[in-house]
Amino acid sequence: MIILKTSRLYIREICTDDYDAICSILQDIDVMYAWEHAFSDEEVTAWINENMMRYKRDGYSYWAVIEKSTVRLIGVTGLIAEQADNEAYVGIGYIYNRSSWKNGYALEAAKACVQYAFDELNIDEITAQIRPDNLSSRRLAEKLGMIPKKEFTKIYKGKEMKHILYSRTK
């Protein structure tokens, strides 16, 4: 099911048939450096299933980003119900195949998702949780009109990880 279209991209729900393409992203340590590990096969399956459950629960989550010219899944971008310091937010997330970096795809898809959140879902604030040393994600958030709102510590796999919460309101 296509959720959004941009000039170069289709954005649709992730499905189990996307497993191999999602593996090529989530199992690449260079892509997953902010998580500090590449995902196992089981973690990829769980990640896909969690996103499909979020579609039912929240009406959104990470979506598959398909390059129109090749009809190839090049990344995932979407809206995620998440927490920072025990406060609920709707965040934007983006993870792309390394071969798709520096082509403007993440910005193009994220802009469409933010607009969708504001216009269709009537969400008043969109955030992004970004590790301080993830400069490319920080630059993308700034291109989306986001500004740092606060710093917080997130626990991931038992490890404390500093994050910056970027924010943009409607």
Side-chain angles (χ1 to χ4, degrees), residues 5-63:
K5 294 178 185 180
T6 70
S7 62
R8 300 182 296 163
L9 308 169
Y10 295 115
I11 300 169
R12 64 161 172 78
E13 289 185 355
I14 293 168
C15 64
T16 55
D17 289 347
D18 295 323
Y19 176 81
D20 289 339
I22 301 286
C23 279
S24 74
I25 298 166
L26 300 184
Q27 293 184 335
D28 182 337
I29 190 60
D30 292 332
V31 171
M32 300 301 290
Y33 68 94
W35 285 263
E36 297 185 4
H37 76 99
F39 281 28
S40 68
D41 291 346
E42 295 77 19
E43 287 171 315
V44 172
T45 298
W47 188 88
I48 290 170
N49 290 337
E50 183 176 346
N51 282 288
M52 291 173 25
M53 180 273 303
R54 287 176 177 167
Y55 301 146
K56 292 179 181 138
R57 184 190 71 202
D58 303 327
Y60 51 82
S61 190
Y62 279 106
W63 290 308

Side-chain angles (χ1 to χ4, degrees), residues 146-157:
M146 296 179 144
I147 58 170
K149 180 173 181 161
K150 67 178 177 178
E151 293 186 16
F152 70 102
T153 301
K154 187 180 211 176
I155 307 295
Y156 180 71
K157 293 198 171 261

Side-chain angles (χ1 to χ4, degrees), residues 113-130:
C113 288
V114 168
Q115 206 60 51
Y116 179 81
F118 289 156
D119 296 346
E120 301 299 322
L121 302 177
N122 206 26
I123 294 170
D124 293 325
E125 179 185 34
I126 296 295
T127 60
Q129 298 182 10
I130 303 172

Side-chain angles (χ1 to χ4, degrees), residues 41-148:
D41 291 346
E42 295 77 19
E43 287 171 315
V44 172
T45 298
W47 188 88
I48 290 170
N49 290 337
E50 183 176 346
N51 282 288
M52 291 173 25
M53 180 273 303
R54 287 176 177 167
Y55 301 146
K56 292 179 181 138
R57 184 190 71 202
D58 303 327
Y60 51 82
S61 190
Y62 279 106
W63 290 308
V65 178
I66 310 300
E67 183 181 42
K68 284 181 180 178
S69 65
T70 63
V71 196
R72 189 173 63 96
L73 191 154
I74 59 169
V76 294
T77 298
L79 305 168
I80 304 107
E82 54 191 6
Q83 299 245 328
D85 287 340
N86 296 315
E87 294 181 66
Y89 295 97
V90 176
I92 181 90
Y94 31 84
I95 314 168
Y96 281 76
N97 189 309
R98 224 175 341 143
S99 65
S100 299
W101 289 359
K102 301 187 187 291
N103 289 300
Y105 294 128
L107 179 61
E108 186 174 330
K111 277 184 178 178
C113 288
V114 168
Q115 206 60 51
Y116 179 81
F118 289 156
D119 296 346
E120 301 299 322
L121 302 177
N122 206 26
I123 294 170
D124 293 325
E125 179 185 34
I126 296 295
T127 60
Q129 298 182 10
I130 303 172
R131 303 275 306 268
D133 60 344
N134 190 341
L135 300 180
S136 59
S137 284
R138 290 177 66 181
R139 280 192 295 275
L140 195 151
E142 290 164 4
K143 288 178 182 176
L144 291 171
M146 296 179 144
I147 58 170

